[in-house]
Amino acid sequence: MLHFSRFKTLAILGITFLGILFALPNVLPNSVVQALPHWLASSRVTLGLDLQGGSHILLEVDGAALRKERAEQVRDEVRKVLRDARIGYTGLAIRDVTVQLRLRDPADTDKAVAELRKLAAPITTNLLGGGTGEMDLTVSPGSDGQVSVSLTEAGLNARVRSAVDQSIEIIRRRIDQLGTVEPNIQRQGADRILVQVPGLQDPQRLKALLGQTAKLSFRMVDQSMSPQQAMDGRPPVDSEVLRGQDGTPYLVEKQVRVSGEDLTDAQPGFDQQTSQPLVTFRFNSNGARRFATTTQDAVGRPFAIVLDNQVISAPVIREPIMGGSGQISGSFTVQQANDLAILLRAGALPAPLKVMEERTVGPSLGQDSIEAGKTAAFVAAGLVAVFMLAVYGLFGMFALIALAVHITLMFALQSILGATLTLPGIAGVVLTIGMAVDSNVVIFERIRDEAREGRSAISAIDKGFVQALGTILDANITALATGVILFLLGGSGPVRGFAVTYILGLLTTVFTAYTLTRLMIAWWVKWRRPAKLPI
Amino acid sequence: MPLIDYIPAQTNIGFMRLRHVTFPLSAGIMVIAVAVFFAFGFNLGIDFRGGTLIEAQSSQERAELGSLREHLTDLDLGDVQIQEFGSPRDVLIRVGEFGTTEEAQQAIIGKITGALGSEYSVRRVETVGPSVSGELVRQSVVALILGAVAVLIYLWFRFEWQFAVGALVTTAHDIFVTLMFYSILGLDFDLTSIAAILTIMGYSLNDTVVVYDRIREMLRRYKKMPMPEMLDLSVNATFSRTVIVSLTTFLACLALYLFGGEVLRGFSLAMTVGVVIGTYSTIFVAAPMLIHLGLRASAVGEKPQPKAEEGEIIPPGVDTSAIEATAPVVASSAPAPAPAPTPAPAAPAGGAGRRTGKGRGRPARG
C-alpha cells in the first residue's frame, strides 16, 4: 500500500494543485481576480441568500382565478357565437368550469352544438405544436335543449403551464427594471415559480412588484346612474362598481376600450403645472387608433383608468387624444409612479401570483452570519488541530495537511460546480471536517493496533492502511446515502444547502484523508526508514 | 512523538456485561421520550406550522420589548410572540396561526414592519404559507424514512441483516433521544432541525459502522469465540478511535454552538447532544444488540478475496464447514472459554508468523 507509481503520485499531486488553483479566487481580492488571465480559474463560491442577503420567494399561479377567468371568457364567447348564429337561449350561467345554457328552441340543439364546437381548440403541449389530440373544451347537449360547454382538465392544465411560462418572463422583466444583480427565476413543479434575488435593500418593494397582476384597462365611466344607486340597487348589466385608491366608488363599463397590452412604453414623470409625479405612456398603432376613436366619441365624458380592478383616476376627456400617448395622474408618490411605470412596461401577469413562502435576509444579518461562520470554522479547526497534534504528533501533522487540502478541494469543487454556500452549508463543512478527522483516526488507530500485534513499523503502517480502507469506505458510503437523499428531497431550502457541502465533503475526505495522507506517509517512510512508529 | 498519550490505547472493559444495565436504561429512555412527546409536544417552527417570522435590530443599545409588545398587540394580529434573539438589540417576532391564508400573511408582514418604524431595521423575514408547510412536513418525513431504508439496504448488502437491524435500531434510538431533547427544551423545530437530525443520523451510523466493521472482521478471524467476548474485544479495539473521534467532533460542534451565530445555535446544540448520544449508543446499544439478534460467526461469509488472516486462523486441511457447524454451540455458552483454534503450522505469506502462540481465542495484549 505504500508504493505509489509515478503516474499515481503525479495524479494525486495534480488534483491537489488543481484544487488549490480553483479555490484560489475565493481568497484573492476582487481586483486581482479581475486582472487574472482568462484561462485561469476565476469563478468563486456563490454565497447563499442567507449569507449575502437577499430574498427567496416562492410564488404560485392562482389556478382558481385562472379557471374563473377562463370560464368567463368562454361564457362571453358562447354568447357571441350564439348571437352571431341567431340562436335564442336563456339561463347562460357558469357552474365551476362549465358554461350552461338552455336553448329557446330545442330543435336548434344540433346547430348550436356544431357552432359551439368551433370554439374548442386542440391543446398544444410544446413549442413545436405537437398536440395530444385533446381539445380544451367539450360541448355536450343535454335533454330539452340544455347545452353545456365544459373546460377540460387538460386544457386548464395547459393554461396554467403557459401562465407560469409567461409569468416567469414578466417577472424577469420587472426585476430587471430594478437594476439588481442577476435574479434567479425558475419554475418549480406544475404551478410554482421560485424567485431568488440577492442583495436587495427593500424586499417589500420586490414583493409589491411581484404581487401585482398589473392589468391596465381604459374604460368609460357609466353615467346612467350614480355609483351609490348602483350599489344599492342593481347595476346595469354591462357595468360594475369599482373602487378608487381612496375607496371612492365608480360605476365603470365592463367593456375595455383600450387595454394595457397595447402599451409600448411607460415612463415616470412630473406634471408641469403641479409638479405631481405621474406616468406617461404611449400606445402602439392599434391602441392609438382605438384610443383616438374612443376619445373622439366621448368628449366631455369621464373615462376610467383601471389597474387590477382599482380605478386609478377618472379624468374627463376634454379633447380627442390623437397622438397615441397620454398620462396617468393619480395621487402617486415618486416611487409609486416609478413602480407603476415598471409594471406597465413589463406587462401584465396572466394570473395573480400568491406568495407561498418567503425568506428574506437583510445584508447586515448576512454579514454577521459570515463572520460567525468564519469564527466558528477557525475555532473548530484550531481545536481539532491542537488535539490531533497532541494525540498523533507528526502523523497528526500529516492529517492536518490533508485536512487543509480537504477544505481547499471543497471550495474548489463548489466554485467549479457553481454550488451555493449557505449557512447550513457551513455547518456541513464543519461536519465533514469531523468526518475527515475520523478517517485519519481510524487509519492511525489501526496502525497502532497492527504495531501492537508485533508488526514492524513499516509493515504496521502498510497493514493499517489496508485494513482501514474498508471501514472508511463503509462509513462514507452510508453517510453518502443519507446525504444524497437529503439533497434529492431537500427542496430548495436549508436542507439542500447542507446536503451539497456534506456530499462534496464526503467525496473529498476519502481522497485527502486516505490517499493523500498515505502518499505523505509513504514519502516519510522512504525518507526515514522508521524502525519505530511515531504514534 | 505525540505530546500526550492520555487516551488509553488498550482497554479491556466489559461493555457487554453492562448491557444488563444499559438496555433497560435505553428502553426506559425510549418510553420516557414517547411520554415527553405527548406531554410537551414540539415547538414547531414556521416551516412546519406555517406563519411569519421577523428578526429586527433596534438602533438603540437595547430593544424595548415591552413597548414593542404593546405596539404589536394593538395591531390585533392574534398570537404574536416577541423574544430577544442573541443580543439585547435583536428581537424575534413570530406570528403563527393555523389556517392563515397567504394573502393574510403578506398583510401581517406589512403591518409589523410598519409598526416597527424607523427605530428598528428588519434583518430577516420568513413566511411559510399553510400549504407549503404541509408539504415540508411530508418531504421531511419521506426524507427520514428513505434515508433509513437506503442505509438498511446498504448495510444488509455489505454486512448481514443483524447488522442492518442493529444499526437502524441504534439510529432510531439516537433520533428519539434527540427529539426528546428538542421537546423538553422547547427548541424551535424547523427545517434546520431536520438537517440536524439527519446529520446525527449520519454521525451515529458512521460510528456504528466503524465498530460493526471491526466486529465482522473479528467474527471472521475468531470463529469460535463466544459472542459477548468477541463483541467486547471489538468494541475495546475500536474504543480509542471512538473516543478520539467523538472528542474532535464534540469540539467542532461546541465551537459551532459557541461562535456559529444565533441562526445555527439550535442546530449545533442538537449536534453536540447527538454526538454524545451517538457514541453511547454505538458502544452500549449497537454492539450488544447483535447478541440478541442472534448473530453468530457462521452468519458472516468469507471475504470475497481471502486474505492472509484466514490462513492464519484456520489451519489448512481443517474442514471449514465443520468449524462453522460448531460455532452456534460455542456462541451460546457465553462464559465458557472458547476452544482455541490451532495456530497455522505453516505460516502463509505476509508475516503471519507474528501470531505464533497468539492464535488463541483472544490475542495476547501487549
Side-chain angles (χ1 to χ4, degrees), chain A residues 113-183:
Chain A
V113 168
E115 285 295 324
L116 290 174
R117 285 218 166 114
K118 288 180 191 162
L119 285 176
I123 300 161
T124 51
T125 46
N126 54 35
L127 287 175
L128 299 172
T132 53
E134 281 187 273
M135 305 300 272
D136 64 350
L137 26 102
T138 56
V139 182
S140 48
S143 59
D144 206 18
Q146 299 256 17
V147 177
S148 54
V149 181
S150 306
L151 303 175
T152 60
E153 208 50 40
L156 287 167
N157 289 341
R159 245 160 218 282
V160 170
R161 256 200 316 276
S162 77
V164 170
D165 289 338
Q166 281 177 43
S167 301
I168 289 176
E169 206 31 56
I170 288 158
I171 289 171
R172 190 180 308 281
R173 273 187 252 153
R174 287 184 184 177
I175 295 178
D176 281 349
Q177 303 279 348
L178 287 176
T180 46
V181 277
E182 299 156 37

Side-chain angles (χ1 to χ4, degrees), chain B residues 267-321:
Chain B
F267 177 88
S268 41
L269 182 61
M271 277 302 300
T272 314
V273 174
V275 169
V276 177
I277 303 297
T279 310
Y280 159 83
S281 69
T282 299
I283 297 173
F284 294 106
V285 179
M289 186 150 26
L290 294 177
I291 301 174
H292 298 281
L293 287 172
L295 181 72
R296 16 185 102 109
S298 59
V300 180
E302 293 297 325
K303 276 195 184 177
Q305 320 95 344
K307 296 246 165 81
E309 283 86 356
E310 274 80 21
E312 294 167 24
I313 309 309
I314 306 151
V318 175
D319 188 0
T320 323
S321 62

Side-chain angles (χ1 to χ4, degrees), chain A residues 173-388:
Chain A
R173 273 187 252 153
R174 287 184 184 177
I175 295 178
D176 281 349
Q177 303 279 348
L178 287 176
T180 46
V181 277
E182 299 156 37
N184 173 24
I185 304 165
Q186 61 190 64
R187 166 195 282 273
Q188 286 230 315
D191 53 359
R192 292 191 179 162
I193 302 166
L194 176 66
V195 180
Q196 291 178 306
V197 188
L200 205 65
Q201 295 296 331
D202 187 358
Q204 285 300 323
R205 186 174 171 208
L206 172 70
K207 271 190 300 178
L209 278 182
L210 296 184
Q212 263 179 290
T213 315
K215 269 201 177 119
L216 185 77
S217 58
F218 296 86
R219 314 190 209 169
M220 297 313 298
V221 173
D222 188 342
Q223 290 175 303
S224 61
M225 59 172 81
S226 78
Q228 197 54 48
Q229 282 172 317
M231 282 194 295
D232 294 341
R234 268 183 68 156
V237 187
D238 290 330
S239 298
E240 59 186 336
V241 176
L242 297 177
R243 301 255 170 198
Q245 280 167 310
D246 51 359
T248 328
Y250 294 90
L251 185 62
V252 182
E253 287 179 7
K254 282 183 183 168
Q255 190 201 350
V256 172
R257 298 299 175 106
V258 191
S259 86
E261 287 164 30
D262 287 327
L263 287 178
T264 54
D265 192 21
Q267 293 294 337
F270 291 96
D271 190 313
Q272 280 165 358
Q273 275 114 52
T274 61
S275 53
Q276 276 283 314
L278 51 75
V279 176
T280 60
F281 60 84
R282 177 175 297 281
F283 284 119
N284 60 19
S285 57
N286 179 33
R289 201 174 52 244
R290 289 170 67 174
F291 200 51
T293 32
T294 307
T295 49
Q296 248 168 350
D297 295 347
V299 172
R301 282 176 59 195
F303 77 104
I305 302 172
V306 181
L307 183 73
D308 292 341
N309 285 329
Q310 192 182 49
V311 177
I312 294 184
S313 68
V316 173
I317 301 166
R318 294 188 212 289
E319 57 195 64
I321 302 167
M322 310 301 286
S325 64
Q327 60 188 44
I328 305 170
S329 53
S331 40
F332 300 131
T333 63
V334 176
Q335 178 163 341
Q336 279 170 333
N338 258 323
D339 287 353
L340 180 59
I342 290 176
L343 290 173
L344 293 182
R345 276 202 303 274
L349 291 171
L353 295 175
K354 281 194 289 186
V355 177
M356 304 301 286
E357 185 186 351
E358 180 199 352
R359 292 172 201 275
T360 295
V361 168
S364 69
L365 180 65
Q367 196 54 44
D368 285 1
S369 293
I370 294 178
E371 291 308 320
K374 271 186 186 164
T375 315
F378 278 119
V379 173
L383 285 174
V384 170
V386 169
F387 193 75
M388 288 298 277

Side-chain angles (χ1 to χ4, degrees), chain A residues 58 60 62 192 203-204 207 354-365 368-369 371-373 375-377 379-380 383-384 387-394 423-424 426-428 430-431 433-435 437-439 441-442 445-446 448-450 452-455 463 466-468 470-479 481-482 485-486 489-491 493-495 498 502 532-535, chain B residues 1-5 7 9-10 46-47 55 57 102-103 105-106 109-110 113 122-129 131-132 135-136 139 142-143 146-147 150-151 154-155 158-159 191-192 194-195 198-199 201-203 205-206 209-210 213-214 216-217 221-222 237 240-241 243-245 247-249 251-253 255-256 259-261 263-264 267 271 303 307 309 312 350-351 354-355 358 363 366:
Chain A
L58 185 65
E60 189 176 274
D62 191 341
R192 292 191 179 162
Q204 285 300 323
K207 271 190 300 178
K354 281 194 289 186
V355 177
M356 304 301 286
E357 185 186 351
E358 180 199 352
R359 292 172 201 275
T360 295
V361 168
S364 69
L365 180 65
D368 285 1
S369 293
E371 291 308 320
T375 315
V379 173
L383 285 174
V384 170
F387 193 75
M388 288 298 277
L389 286 176
V391 177
Y392 292 118
L394 179 67
L423 198 54
I426 292 183
V430 174
L431 194 78
I433 292 178
M435 298 286 284
V437 169
D438 182 34
S439 299
V441 171
V442 166
E445 287 304 306
R446 200 68 212 221
R448 279 180 168 175
D449 282 356
E450 297 297 332
R452 227 175 279 124
E453 295 198 359
R455 284 177 189 270
K463 196 80 187 145
V466 175
Q467 297 283 14
T471 312
I472 292 173
L473 285 182
D474 276 337
N476 278 292
I477 291 173
T478 336
T482 51
I485 282 169
L486 270 187
L489 299 177
V495 176
F498 173 80
Y502 191 51
K532 204 169 164 297
L533 277 181
I535 53 173
Chain B
M1 284 303 284
L3 300 172
I4 54 161
D5 207 356
I7 296 134
Q10 280 292 355
I46 59 162
D47 288 335
E55 186 187 332
Q57 190 171 57
E102 283 82 7
E103 288 85 353
Q105 285 182 334
Q106 288 307 316
I109 297 179
T113 46
V122 174
R123 278 157 65 91
R124 178 160 62 117
V125 178
E126 290 187 10
T127 313
V128 180
S131 60
V132 172
E135 286 161 31
L136 289 176
Q139 250 180 25
V142 170
L146 279 187
V151 166
Y154 180 74
L155 289 184
R158 275 287 286 175
F159 294 76
L191 275 181
T192 321
I194 292 289
L198 280 151
T199 315
M201 187 169 137
Y203 177 82
L205 273 170
N206 174 57
V209 166
V210 168
D213 219 60
R214 187 61 76 98
R216 181 177 54 168
E217 190 190 322
R221 200 187 283 185
Y222 308 111
S240 55
R241 172 260 153 206
V243 171
I244 292 173
V245 169
L247 269 176
T248 38
T249 318
L251 288 177
C253 289
L256 205 60
F259 305 102
V263 183
L264 275 185
F267 177 88
M271 277 302 300
K303 276 195 184 177
K307 296 246 165 81
E309 283 86 356
E312 294 167 24
R354 75 200 160 87
R355 227 185 281 278
K358 291 192 216 161

